[in-house]
Amino acid sequence: MGAAKRMRTNPRQLAAEVLNGLELSDLAESIEIAGPGFLNIRLSPSFLSDQLTDSTLLAETKNPKRVVVDYSSPNLAKEMHVGHLRSTVIGDAVARTLELAGHTVIRQNHIGDWGTAFGRLLAFLDDVGDEAAQDAELSDIEALYVEASQKFESDLAFANRSRSMVLALQAHEPTAIAKWEHFMMLAQQHMSEIYSRLDISLQPQDTRGESAYNSTIAPLISDLQKRDDVLVESEGALCIFMPEFKNKDGDIQPMIVQKSDGGYLYHTTDLAALRYRGETLHADRVLYFTDARQILHFEMLFAASRLANIVEPGVMLEHHPFGKILGNDGKPFRTRSGDNILLRDLIDEAIDRATSLIHEKNPNLDDEQQDEVAHAVAVGAVKYADLSKNRLHDYTFNWDEMLAFDGNTAPYLQYAYARISSIFEKGNIDMGQCSEPPRLDTEVERQLAVHLLRFQEVVEQVVADAKPHYLCSFLYELTVRFMRFYEHCPILSEEPQIRDGRLTLCSRTAATLKTGLDALGIRVLTRM
Ligand code: ARG
């Protein structure tokens, strides 16, 4: 219609002219002009069938990029809690999807492992004695942190000891550093355990915490000072003034790079990290996943990096924010007493709930199978509930909804995969060996085939927008179409040619479900 307007002609007429010039007889069965000037192309069954049989449903990109994905990145002065869930789950799904599409992904877990909170924690551990500090279980960190903070408020001598601990750490005094290293080792063990239970692909070597940039901040600042247009001294602090960032009184809100006492801020570390990602990791694209409260932080970070040429102009810098997780009462999701829900408790509860559900649905599985299924369903349900919503919105955490076996849930998709597997098992046929072109002579088969051929496009959309819910919607719709086909079309009882063609459709559906769920970090099951 836009083209018709520019050409000052009637859109239907233009459509008719385009139609006259189109030569699509080898792929289209019919082409019709519809509505105000749309062209509806109905793909021919033979074209669909060839596409499904001959070509892979997903080709790797011809333009691979080096993509740094900064996600999860918890602050390890606290135990991992539900506030870390979305960044971990969404970031992991996007990282996996980028890899699936053929990009090189460099995961960066920018953990909070430095700063005043650690002074408090280490001073507190000193007080409780070496022994307790030695075997301080990470399960106690939350309690340790709360007690340390309370003591900091109420006990002046302790507050002073905490401050000297911070200074000792900053001065890299060996005993203080040894304590910090020991604590960080425990904290990282806990983090790895959570990742492994949640099937998160982050590995220890992906961790590059804030402390990793300690030695690169001073050189960065001195490089910035060599240019006269970036850093400005204001009340003893070093700042970057960018006219596009104003507070509500209309004054420019400076980005403070170094405080008047010499200390650095969250911004400063991020500038150093970004420089590393450009210069050392050679990133073409850098993606950050944090909640929406950090939007301004990243806007300022990116603007300052452009101003100071911290990364090459061609590098794409993208913050992908997300909304909050709400409880059923519409308030932020917390325990009854108002505390943060710890991730280990959340995973335990998910597995408990999935175990009783599976036990009820399929009491014939042996114990080992039951554990495997319960784990895949539990983790899948929690992740999928998050991934299937547009990340920009808040979402309500609801156990019954996410664990339902029908609707847009992980168990529904996993169940469809198990159902397809059982067809092959029953027929004693190898899923990987299907090559008979499907005939697609019923509408339900056609609908399924057309949908399967859209996989490539959907993966590309996730890669472009970092929104996994596109892929979830696609997989859900695929499953709905498969179930319709399965209800209407007999398979194993058909004569060989039709049967084998339908098995090809089944195997393509299963492969797409598996690849798609893998990209979301969700396991498939052959039995459920
Ligand atoms: N540790 C931060 C937090 O818990 C998130 C870090 C995100 N990454 C970054 N490069 N700033 O909020």
Side-chain angles (χ1 to χ4, degrees), residues 277-300:
R277 292 167 185 186
E279 281 178 6
T280 308
L281 300 179
H282 304 290
D284 299 312
R285 246 180 112 178
V286 188
L287 274 52
Y288 296 85
F289 291 88
T290 79
D291 71 42
R293 287 173 302 183
Q294 297 196 32
I295 289 179
L296 181 62
H297 164 73
F298 285 103
E299 281 175 357
M300 293 183 98

mmCIF file with all atom_site columns, all heavy atoms in Angstrom, residues 277-300:
data_model
loop_
_atom_site.group_PDB
_atom_site.id
_atom_site.type_symbol
_atom_site.label_atom_id
_atom_site.label_alt_id
_atom_site.label_comp_id
_atom_site.label_asym_id
_atom_site.label_entity_id
_atom_site.label_seq_id
_atom_site.pdbx_PDB_ins_code
_atom_site.Cartn_x
_atom_site.Cartn_y
_atom_site.Cartn_z
_atom_site.occupancy
_atom_site.B_iso_or_equiv
_atom_site.pdbx_formal_charge
_atom_site.auth_seq_id
_atom_site.auth_comp_id
_atom_site.auth_asym_id
_atom_site.auth_atom_id
_atom_site.pdbx_PDB_model_num
ATOM 1   N N   . ARG A 1 277 ? 36.173 -6.103  26.625 1.00 0.00 ? 277 ARG A N   1
ATOM 2   C CA  . ARG A 1 277 ? 35.345 -6.876  25.688 1.00 0.00 ? 277 ARG A CA  1
ATOM 3   C C   . ARG A 1 277 ? 35.603 -6.465  24.236 1.00 0.00 ? 277 ARG A C   1
ATOM 4   O O   . ARG A 1 277 ? 35.537 -7.299  23.342 1.00 0.00 ? 277 ARG A O   1
ATOM 5   C CB  . ARG A 1 277 ? 33.865 -6.712  26.057 1.00 0.00 ? 277 ARG A CB  1
ATOM 6   C CG  . ARG A 1 277 ? 33.585 -7.396  27.379 1.00 0.00 ? 277 ARG A CG  1
ATOM 7   C CD  . ARG A 1 277 ? 32.272 -7.058  28.005 1.00 0.00 ? 277 ARG A CD  1
ATOM 8   N NE  . ARG A 1 277 ? 32.224 -7.698  29.326 1.00 0.00 ? 277 ARG A NE  1
ATOM 9   C CZ  . ARG A 1 277 ? 31.183 -7.709  30.115 1.00 0.00 ? 277 ARG A CZ  1
ATOM 10  N NH1 . ARG A 1 277 ? 30.056 -7.116  29.729 1.00 0.00 ? 277 ARG A NH1 1
ATOM 11  N NH2 . ARG A 1 277 ? 31.225 -8.320  31.287 1.00 0.00 ? 277 ARG A NH2 1
ATOM 12  N N   . GLY A 1 278 ? 35.890 -5.210  24.038 1.00 0.00 ? 278 GLY A N   1
ATOM 13  C CA  . GLY A 1 278 ? 36.218 -4.750  22.698 1.00 0.00 ? 278 GLY A CA  1
ATOM 14  C C   . GLY A 1 278 ? 37.644 -5.121  22.313 1.00 0.00 ? 278 GLY A C   1
ATOM 15  O O   . GLY A 1 278 ? 37.876 -5.814  21.324 1.00 0.00 ? 278 GLY A O   1
ATOM 16  N N   . GLU A 1 279 ? 38.602 -4.702  23.154 1.00 0.00 ? 279 GLU A N   1
ATOM 17  C CA  . GLU A 1 279 ? 40.012 -4.847  22.777 1.00 0.00 ? 279 GLU A CA  1
ATOM 18  C C   . GLU A 1 279 ? 40.504 -6.278  22.856 1.00 0.00 ? 279 GLU A C   1
ATOM 19  O O   . GLU A 1 279 ? 41.257 -6.733  22.011 1.00 0.00 ? 279 GLU A O   1
ATOM 20  C CB  . GLU A 1 279 ? 40.886 -3.988  23.700 1.00 0.00 ? 279 GLU A CB  1
ATOM 21  C CG  . GLU A 1 279 ? 40.871 -2.526  23.300 1.00 0.00 ? 279 GLU A CG  1
ATOM 22  C CD  . GLU A 1 279 ? 41.696 -1.647  24.245 1.00 0.00 ? 279 GLU A CD  1
ATOM 23  O OE1 . GLU A 1 279 ? 42.378 -2.192  25.148 1.00 0.00 ? 279 GLU A OE1 1
ATOM 24  O OE2 . GLU A 1 279 ? 41.635 -0.418  24.076 1.00 0.00 ? 279 GLU A OE2 1
ATOM 25  N N   . THR A 1 280 ? 40.109 -6.985  23.891 1.00 0.00 ? 280 THR A N   1
ATOM 26  C CA  . THR A 1 280 ? 40.679 -8.315  24.104 1.00 0.00 ? 280 THR A CA  1
ATOM 27  C C   . THR A 1 280 ? 39.777 -9.415  23.564 1.00 0.00 ? 280 THR A C   1
ATOM 28  O O   . THR A 1 280 ? 40.243 -10.378 22.969 1.00 0.00 ? 280 THR A O   1
ATOM 29  C CB  . THR A 1 280 ? 40.957 -8.534  25.609 1.00 0.00 ? 280 THR A CB  1
ATOM 30  O OG1 . THR A 1 280 ? 41.723 -7.419  26.070 1.00 0.00 ? 280 THR A OG1 1
ATOM 31  C CG2 . THR A 1 280 ? 41.713 -9.815  25.867 1.00 0.00 ? 280 THR A CG2 1
ATOM 32  N N   . LEU A 1 281 ? 38.482 -9.266  23.793 1.00 0.00 ? 281 LEU A N   1
ATOM 33  C CA  . LEU A 1 281 ? 37.580 -10.322 23.319 1.00 0.00 ? 281 LEU A CA  1
ATOM 34  C C   . LEU A 1 281 ? 37.133 -10.089 21.871 1.00 0.00 ? 281 LEU A C   1
ATOM 35  O O   . LEU A 1 281 ? 36.519 -10.945 21.269 1.00 0.00 ? 281 LEU A O   1
ATOM 36  C CB  . LEU A 1 281 ? 36.351 -10.423 24.237 1.00 0.00 ? 281 LEU A CB  1
ATOM 37  C CG  . LEU A 1 281 ? 36.620 -10.756 25.708 1.00 0.00 ? 281 LEU A CG  1
ATOM 38  C CD1 . LEU A 1 281 ? 35.312 -10.791 26.510 1.00 0.00 ? 281 LEU A CD1 1
ATOM 39  C CD2 . LEU A 1 281 ? 37.336 -12.101 25.839 1.00 0.00 ? 281 LEU A CD2 1
ATOM 40  N N   . HIS A 1 282 ? 37.440 -8.925  21.324 1.00 0.00 ? 282 HIS A N   1
ATOM 41  C CA  . HIS A 1 282 ? 37.077 -8.584  19.932 1.00 0.00 ? 282 HIS A CA  1
ATOM 42  C C   . HIS A 1 282 ? 35.606 -8.775  19.641 1.00 0.00 ? 282 HIS A C   1
ATOM 43  O O   . HIS A 1 282 ? 35.222 -9.403  18.640 1.00 0.00 ? 282 HIS A O   1
ATOM 44  C CB  . HIS A 1 282 ? 37.916 -9.396  18.937 1.00 0.00 ? 282 HIS A CB  1
ATOM 45  C CG  . HIS A 1 282 ? 39.381 -9.214  19.148 1.00 0.00 ? 282 HIS A CG  1
ATOM 46  N ND1 . HIS A 1 282 ? 40.019 -8.027  18.868 1.00 0.00 ? 282 HIS A ND1 1
ATOM 47  C CD2 . HIS A 1 282 ? 40.323 -10.042 19.651 1.00 0.00 ? 282 HIS A CD2 1
ATOM 48  C CE1 . HIS A 1 282 ? 41.300 -8.150  19.186 1.00 0.00 ? 282 HIS A CE1 1
ATOM 49  N NE2 . HIS A 1 282 ? 41.507 -9.356  19.669 1.00 0.00 ? 282 HIS A NE2 1
ATOM 50  N N   . ALA A 1 283 ? 34.787 -8.262  20.525 1.00 0.00 ? 283 ALA A N   1
ATOM 51  C CA  . ALA A 1 283 ? 33.343 -8.422  20.352 1.00 0.00 ? 283 ALA A CA  1
ATOM 52  C C   . ALA A 1 283 ? 32.835 -7.589  19.181 1.00 0.00 ? 283 ALA A C   1
ATOM 53  O O   . ALA A 1 283 ? 33.295 -6.471  18.956 1.00 0.00 ? 283 ALA A O   1
ATOM 54  C CB  . ALA A 1 283 ? 32.629 -7.974  21.625 1.00 0.00 ? 283 ALA A CB  1
ATOM 55  N N   . ASP A 1 284 ? 31.878 -8.163  18.423 1.00 0.00 ? 284 ASP A N   1
ATOM 56  C CA  . ASP A 1 284 ? 31.141 -7.374  17.437 1.00 0.00 ? 284 ASP A CA  1
ATOM 57  C C   . ASP A 1 284 ? 29.854 -6.838  18.058 1.00 0.00 ? 284 ASP A C   1
ATOM 58  O O   . ASP A 1 284 ? 29.277 -5.857  17.610 1.00 0.00 ? 284 ASP A O   1
ATOM 59  C CB  . ASP A 1 284 ? 30.721 -8.243  16.244 1.00 0.00 ? 284 ASP A CB  1
ATOM 60  C CG  . ASP A 1 284 ? 31.916 -8.842  15.529 1.00 0.00 ? 284 ASP A CG  1
ATOM 61  O OD1 . ASP A 1 284 ? 32.861 -8.084  15.236 1.00 0.00 ? 284 ASP A OD1 1
ATOM 62  O OD2 . ASP A 1 284 ? 31.906 -10.055 15.273 1.00 0.00 ? 284 ASP A OD2 1
ATOM 63  N N   . ARG A 1 285 ? 29.392 -7.582  19.059 1.00 0.00 ? 285 ARG A N   1
ATOM 64  C CA  . ARG A 1 285 ? 28.137 -7.236  19.721 1.00 0.00 ? 285 ARG A CA  1
ATOM 65  C C   . ARG A 1 285 ? 28.307 -7.545  21.192 1.00 0.00 ? 285 ARG A C   1
ATOM 66  O O   . ARG A 1 285 ? 28.905 -8.581  21.531 1.00 0.00 ? 285 ARG A O   1
ATOM 67  C CB  . ARG A 1 285 ? 27.052 -8.191  19.207 1.00 0.00 ? 285 ARG A CB  1
ATOM 68  C CG  . ARG A 1 285 ? 25.946 -7.612  18.398 1.00 0.00 ? 285 ARG A CG  1
ATOM 69  C CD  . ARG A 1 285 ? 24.963 -8.721  17.990 1.00 0.00 ? 285 ARG A CD  1
ATOM 70  N NE  . ARG A 1 285 ? 23.681 -8.528  18.669 1.00 0.00 ? 285 ARG A NE  1
ATOM 71  C CZ  . ARG A 1 285 ? 22.618 -9.303  18.493 1.00 0.00 ? 285 ARG A CZ  1
ATOM 72  N NH1 . ARG A 1 285 ? 22.666 -10.331 17.672 1.00 0.00 ? 285 ARG A NH1 1
ATOM 73  N NH2 . ARG A 1 285 ? 21.491 -9.059  19.138 1.00 0.00 ? 285 ARG A NH2 1
ATOM 74  N N   . VAL A 1 286 ? 27.802 -6.669  22.073 1.00 0.00 ? 286 VAL A N   1
ATOM 75  C CA  . VAL A 1 286 ? 27.834 -6.964  23.506 1.00 0.00 ? 286 VAL A CA  1
ATOM 76  C C   . VAL A 1 286 ? 26.411 -6.846  24.037 1.00 0.00 ? 286 VAL A C   1
ATOM 77  O O   . VAL A 1 286 ? 25.766 -5.805  23.889 1.00 0.00 ? 286 VAL A O   1
ATOM 78  C CB  . VAL A 1 286 ? 28.759 -6.000  24.292 1.00 0.00 ? 286 VAL A CB  1
ATOM 79  C CG1 . VAL A 1 286 ? 28.914 -6.480  25.732 1.00 0.00 ? 286 VAL A CG1 1
ATOM 80  C CG2 . VAL A 1 286 ? 30.123 -5.877  23.625 1.00 0.00 ? 286 VAL A CG2 1
ATOM 81  N N   . LEU A 1 287 ? 25.917 -7.931  24.629 1.00 0.00 ? 287 LEU A N   1
ATOM 82  C CA  . LEU A 1 287 ? 24.543 -7.967  25.145 1.00 0.00 ? 287 LEU A CA  1
ATOM 83  C C   . LEU A 1 287 ? 24.571 -8.031  26.670 1.00 0.00 ? 287 LEU A C   1
ATOM 84  O O   . LEU A 1 287 ? 25.340 -8.822  27.232 1.00 0.00 ? 287 LEU A O   1
ATOM 85  C CB  . LEU A 1 287 ? 23.843 -9.238  24.644 1.00 0.00 ? 287 LEU A CB  1
ATOM 86  C CG  . LEU A 1 287 ? 23.160 -9.239  23.289 1.00 0.00 ? 287 LEU A CG  1
ATOM 87  C CD1 . LEU A 1 287 ? 24.062 -8.741  22.193 1.00 0.00 ? 287 LEU A CD1 1
ATOM 88  C CD2 . LEU A 1 287 ? 22.661 -10.635 22.951 1.00 0.00 ? 287 LEU A CD2 1
ATOM 89  N N   . TYR A 1 288 ? 23.745 -7.238  27.307 1.00 0.00 ? 288 TYR A N   1
ATOM 90  C CA  . TYR A 1 288 ? 23.646 -7.261  28.774 1.00 0.00 ? 288 TYR A CA  1
ATOM 91  C C   . TYR A 1 288 ? 22.207 -7.590  29.164 1.00 0.00 ? 288 TYR A C   1
ATOM 92  O O   . TYR A 1 288 ? 21.276 -6.991  28.626 1.00 0.00 ? 288 TYR A O   1
ATOM 93  C CB  . TYR A 1 288 ? 23.946 -5.883  29.366 1.00 0.00 ? 288 TYR A CB  1
ATOM 94  C CG  . TYR A 1 288 ? 25.354 -5.375  29.140 1.00 0.00 ? 288 TYR A CG  1
ATOM 95  C CD1 . TYR A 1 288 ? 25.697 -4.718  27.963 1.00 0.00 ? 288 TYR A CD1 1
ATOM 96  C CD2 . TYR A 1 288 ? 26.328 -5.515  30.124 1.00 0.00 ? 288 TYR A CD2 1
ATOM 97  C CE1 . TYR A 1 288 ? 26.976 -4.230  27.759 1.00 0.00 ? 288 TYR A CE1 1
ATOM 98  C CE2 . TYR A 1 288 ? 27.622 -5.023  29.929 1.00 0.00 ? 288 TYR A CE2 1
ATOM 99  C CZ  . TYR A 1 288 ? 27.937 -4.389  28.744 1.00 0.00 ? 288 TYR A CZ  1
ATOM 100 O OH  . TYR A 1 288 ? 29.202 -3.899  28.544 1.00 0.00 ? 288 TYR A OH  1
ATOM 101 N N   . PHE A 1 289 ? 22.058 -8.490  30.123 1.00 0.00 ? 289 PHE A N   1
ATOM 102 C CA  . PHE A 1 289 ? 20.722 -8.832  30.622 1.00 0.00 ? 289 PHE A CA  1
ATOM 103 C C   . PHE A 1 289 ? 20.616 -8.469  32.091 1.00 0.00 ? 289 PHE A C   1
ATOM 104 O O   . PHE A 1 289 ? 21.243 -9.114  32.938 1.00 0.00 ? 289 PHE A O   1
ATOM 105 C CB  . PHE A 1 289 ? 20.449 -10.334 30.430 1.00 0.00 ? 289 PHE A CB  1
ATOM 106 C CG  . PHE A 1 289 ? 20.309 -10.697 28.979 1.00 0.00 ? 289 PHE A CG  1
ATOM 107 C CD1 . PHE A 1 289 ? 21.414 -11.036 28.223 1.00 0.00 ? 289 PHE A CD1 1
ATOM 108 C CD2 . PHE A 1 289 ? 19.073 -10.644 28.363 1.00 0.00 ? 289 PHE A CD2 1
ATOM 109 C CE1 . PHE A 1 289 ? 21.294 -11.326 26.865 1.00 0.00 ? 289 PHE A CE1 1
ATOM 110 C CE2 . PHE A 1 289 ? 18.938 -10.940 27.015 1.00 0.00 ? 289 PHE A CE2 1
ATOM 111 C CZ  . PHE A 1 289 ? 20.055 -11.275 26.267 1.00 0.00 ? 289 PHE A CZ  1
ATOM 112 N N   . THR A 1 290 ? 19.888 -7.399  32.373 1.00 0.00 ? 290 THR A N   1
ATOM 113 C CA  . THR A 1 290 ? 19.619 -7.051  33.784 1.00 0.00 ? 290 THR A CA  1
ATOM 114 C C   . THR A 1 290 ? 18.187 -6.531  33.861 1.00 0.00 ? 290 THR A C   1
ATOM 115 O O   . THR A 1 290 ? 17.572 -6.258  32.834 1.00 0.00 ? 290 THR A O   1
ATOM 116 C CB  . THR A 1 290 ? 20.512 -5.924  34.332 1.00 0.00 ? 290 THR A CB  1
ATOM 117 O OG1 . THR A 1 290 ? 20.002 -4.664  33.862 1.00 0.00 ? 290 THR A OG1 1
ATOM 118 C CG2 . THR A 1 290 ? 21.969 -6.071  33.943 1.00 0.00 ? 290 THR A CG2 1
ATOM 119 N N   . ASP A 1 291 ? 17.693 -6.344  35.073 1.00 0.00 ? 291 ASP A N   1
ATOM 120 C CA  . ASP A 1 291 ? 16.327 -5.851  35.180 1.00 0.00 ? 291 ASP A CA  1
ATOM 121 C C   . ASP A 1 291 ? 16.237 -4.381  34.774 1.00 0.00 ? 291 ASP A C   1
ATOM 122 O O   . ASP A 1 291 ? 17.257 -3.691  34.610 1.00 0.00 ? 291 ASP A O   1
ATOM 123 C CB  . ASP A 1 291 ? 15.724 -6.125  36.560 1.00 0.00 ? 291 ASP A CB  1
ATOM 124 C CG  . ASP A 1 291 ? 16.332 -5.275  37.654 1.00 0.00 ? 291 ASP A CG  1
ATOM 125 O OD1 . ASP A 1 291 ? 16.563 -4.071  37.433 1.00 0.00 ? 291 ASP A OD1 1
ATOM 126 O OD2 . ASP A 1 291 ? 16.573 -5.815  38.749 1.00 0.00 ? 291 ASP A OD2 1
ATOM 127 N N   . ALA A 1 292 ? 15.005 -3.943  34.604 1.00 0.00 ? 292 ALA A N   1
ATOM 128 C CA  . ALA A 1 292 ? 14.766 -2.634  33.990 1.00 0.00 ? 292 ALA A CA  1
ATOM 129 C C   . ALA A 1 292 ? 15.256 -1.468  34.863 1.00 0.00 ? 292 ALA A C   1
ATOM 130 O O   . ALA A 1 292 ? 15.399 -0.352  34.365 1.00 0.00 ? 292 ALA A O   1
ATOM 131 C CB  . ALA A 1 292 ? 13.270 -2.477  33.702 1.00 0.00 ? 292 ALA A CB  1
ATOM 132 N N   . ARG A 1 293 ? 15.548 -1.750  36.141 1.00 0.00 ? 293 ARG A N   1
ATOM 133 C CA  . ARG A 1 293 ? 16.050 -0.643  36.973 1.00 0.00 ? 293 ARG A CA  1
ATOM 134 C C   . ARG A 1 293 ? 17.414 -0.141  36.513 1.00 0.00 ? 293 ARG A C   1
ATOM 135 O O   . ARG A 1 293 ? 17.855 0.934   36.907 1.00 0.00 ? 293 ARG A O   1
ATOM 136 C CB  . ARG A 1 293 ? 16.124 -1.086  38.445 1.00 0.00 ? 293 ARG A CB  1
ATOM 137 C CG  . ARG A 1 293 ? 14.756 -1.192  39.082 1.00 0.00 ? 293 ARG A CG  1
ATOM 138 C CD  . ARG A 1 293 ? 14.864 -1.778  40.453 1.00 0.00 ? 293 ARG A CD  1
ATOM 139 N NE  . ARG A 1 293 ? 15.499 -3.100  40.399 1.00 0.00 ? 293 ARG A NE  1
ATOM 140 C CZ  . ARG A 1 293 ? 15.675 -3.888  41.442 1.00 0.00 ? 293 ARG A CZ  1
ATOM 141 N NH1 . ARG A 1 293 ? 15.291 -3.500  42.639 1.00 0.00 ? 293 ARG A NH1 1
ATOM 142 N NH2 . ARG A 1 293 ? 16.248 -5.066  41.305 1.00 0.00 ? 293 ARG A NH2 1
ATOM 143 N N   . GLN A 1 294 ? 18.099 -0.929  35.691 1.00 0.00 ? 294 GLN A N   1
ATOM 144 C CA  . GLN A 1 294 ? 19.433 -0.499  35.266 1.00 0.00 ? 294 GLN A CA  1
ATOM 145 C C   . GLN A 1 294 ? 19.444 0.152   33.883 1.00 0.00 ? 294 GLN A C   1
ATOM 146 O O   . GLN A 1 294 ? 20.518 0.355   33.300 1.00 0.00 ? 294 GLN A O   1
ATOM 147 C CB  . GLN A 1 294 ? 20.395 -1.690  35.308 1.00 0.00 ? 294 GLN A CB  1
ATOM 148 C CG  . GLN A 1 294 ? 20.561 -2.226  36.733 1.00 0.00 ? 294 GLN A CG  1
ATOM 149 C CD  . GLN A 1 294 ? 21.773 -3.130  36.888 1.00 0.00 ? 294 GLN A CD  1
ATOM 150 O OE1 . GLN A 1 294 ? 22.796 -2.950  36.228 1.00 0.00 ? 294 GLN A OE1 1
ATOM 151 N NE2 . GLN A 1 294 ? 21.668 -4.106  37.773 1.00 0.00 ? 294 GLN A NE2 1
ATOM 152 N N   . ILE A 1 295 ? 18.284 0.485   33.367 1.00 0.00 ? 295 ILE A N   1
ATOM 153 C CA  . ILE A 1 295 ? 18.232 1.066   32.008 1.00 0.00 ? 295 ILE A CA  1
ATOM 154 C C   . ILE A 1 295 ? 19.111 2.317   31.921 1.00 0.00 ? 295 ILE A C   1
ATOM 155 O O   . ILE A 1 295 ? 19.937 2.451   31.013 1.00 0.00 ? 295 ILE A O   1
ATOM 156 C CB  . ILE A 1 295 ? 16.774 1.367   31.603 1.00 0.00 ? 295 ILE A CB  1
ATOM 157 C CG1 . ILE A 1 295 ? 16.029 0.051   31.340 1.00 0.00 ? 295 ILE A CG1 1
ATOM 158 C CG2 . ILE A 1 295 ? 16.729 2.254   30.349 1.00 0.00 ? 295 ILE A CG2 1
ATOM 159 C CD1 . ILE A 1 295 ? 14.569 0.199   30.965 1.00 0.00 ? 295 ILE A CD1 1
ATOM 160 N N   . LEU A 1 296 ? 18.969 3.208   32.883 1.00 0.00 ? 296 LEU A N   1
ATOM 161 C CA  . LEU A 1 296 ? 19.737 4.458   32.827 1.00 0.00 ? 296 LEU A CA  1
ATOM 162 C C   . LEU A 1 296 ? 21.242 4.189   32.930 1.00 0.00 ? 296 LEU A C   1
ATOM 163 O O   . LEU A 1 296 ? 22.045 4.808   32.230 1.00 0.00 ? 296 LEU A O   1
ATOM 164 C CB  . LEU A 1 296 ? 19.281 5.410   33.946 1.00 0.00 ? 296 LEU A CB  1
ATOM 165 C CG  . LEU A 1 296 ? 20.000 6.758   33.962 1.00 0.00 ? 296 LEU A CG  1
ATOM 166 C CD1 . LEU A 1 296 ? 19.740 7.548   32.683 1.00 0.00 ? 296 LEU A CD1 1
ATOM 167 C CD2 . LEU A 1 296 ? 19.573 7.589   35.188 1.00 0.00 ? 296 LEU A CD2 1
ATOM 168 N N   . HIS A 1 297 ? 21.585 3.244   33.811 1.00 0.00 ? 297 HIS A N   1
ATOM 169 C CA  . HIS A 1 297 ? 23.006 2.890   33.943 1.00 0.00 ? 297 HIS A CA  1
ATOM 170 C C   . HIS A 1 297 ? 23.592 2.535   32.579 1.00 0.00 ? 297 HIS A C   1
ATOM 171 O O   . HIS A 1 297 ? 24.663 3.015   32.196 1.00 0.00 ? 297 HIS A O   1
ATOM 172 C CB  . HIS A 1 297 ? 23.182 1.728   34.927 1.00 0.00 ? 297 HIS A CB  1
ATOM 173 C CG  . HIS A 1 297 ? 24.530 1.052   34.842 1.00 0.00 ? 297 HIS A CG  1
ATOM 174 N ND1 . HIS A 1 297 ? 25.689 1.635   35.308 1.00 0.00 ? 297 HIS A ND1 1
ATOM 175 C CD2 . HIS A 1 297 ? 24.910 -0.132  34.294 1.00 0.00 ? 297 HIS A CD2 1
ATOM 176 C CE1 . HIS A 1 297 ? 26.723 0.830   35.066 1.00 0.00 ? 297 HIS A CE1 1
ATOM 177 N NE2 . HIS A 1 297 ? 26.274 -0.248  34.446 1.00 0.00 ? 297 HIS A NE2 1
ATOM 178 N N   . PHE A 1 298 ? 22.890 1.669   31.847 1.00 0.00 ? 298 PHE A N   1
ATOM 179 C CA  . PHE A 1 298 ? 23.449 1.231   30.566 1.00 0.00 ? 298 PHE A CA  1
ATOM 180 C C   . PHE A 1 298 ? 23.381 2.325   29.503 1.00 0.00 ? 298 PHE A C   1
ATOM 181 O O   . PHE A 1 298 ? 24.286 2.434   28.674 1.00 0.00 ? 298 PHE A O   1
ATOM 182 C CB  . PHE A 1 298 ? 22.798 -0.083  30.109 1.00 0.00 ? 298 PHE A CB  1
ATOM 183 C CG  . PHE A 1 298 ? 23.316 -1.256  30.901 1.00 0.00 ? 298 PHE A CG  1
ATOM 184 C CD1 . PHE A 1 298 ? 22.551 -1.830  31.904 1.00 0.00 ? 298 PHE A CD1 1
ATOM 185 C CD2 . PHE A 1 298 ? 24.596 -1.744  30.685 1.00 0.00 ? 298 PHE A CD2 1
ATOM 186 C CE1 . PHE A 1 298 ? 23.041 -2.891  32.668 1.00 0.00 ? 298 PHE A CE1 1
ATOM 187 C CE2 . PHE A 1 298 ? 25.108 -2.796  31.438 1.00 0.00 ? 298 PHE A CE2 1
ATOM 188 C CZ  . PHE A 1 298 ? 24.327 -3.372  32.434 1.00 0.00 ? 298 PHE A CZ  1
ATOM 189 N N   . GLU A 1 299 ? 22.353 3.144   29.543 1.00 0.00 ? 299 GLU A N   1
ATOM 190 C CA  . GLU A 1 299 ? 22.323 4.254   28.585 1.00 0.00 ? 299 GLU A CA  1
ATOM 191 C C   . GLU A 1 299 ? 23.541 5.156   28.782 1.00 0.00 ? 299 GLU A C   1
ATOM 192 O O   . GLU A 1 299 ? 24.202 5.562   27.821 1.00 0.00 ? 299 GLU A O   1
ATOM 193 C CB  . GLU A 1 299 ? 21.034 5.075   28.756 1.00 0.00 ? 299 GLU A CB  1
ATOM 194 C CG  . GLU A 1 299 ? 19.839 4.421   28.097 1.00 0.00 ? 299 GLU A CG  1
ATOM 195 C CD  . GLU A 1 299 ? 18.522 5.157   28.371 1.00 0.00 ? 299 GLU A CD  1
ATOM 196 O OE1 . GLU A 1 299 ? 18.514 6.153   29.130 1.00 0.00 ? 299 GLU A OE1 1
ATOM 197 O OE2 . GLU A 1 299 ? 17.511 4.705   27.827 1.00 0.00 ? 299 GLU A OE2 1
ATOM 198 N N   . MET A 1 300 ? 23.850 5.434   30.043 1.00 0.00 ? 300 MET A N   1
ATOM 199 C CA  . MET A 1 300 ? 25.000 6.302   30.319 1.00 0.00 ? 300 MET A CA  1
ATOM 200 C C   . MET A 1 300 ? 26.307 5.604   29.959 1.00 0.00 ? 300 MET A C   1
ATOM 201 O O   . MET A 1 300 ? 27.215 6.212   29.387 1.00 0.00 ? 300 MET A O   1
ATOM 202 C CB  . MET A 1 300 ? 25.006 6.726   31.787 1.00 0.00 ? 300 MET A CB  1
ATOM 203 C CG  . MET A 1 300 ? 23.853 7.635   32.140 1.00 0.00 ? 300 MET A CG  1
ATOM 204 S SD  . MET A 1 300 ? 23.932 8.195   33.862 1.00 0.00 ? 300 MET A SD  1
ATOM 205 C CE  . MET A 1 300 ? 24.685 9.789   33.653 1.00 0.00 ? 300 MET A CE  1
#
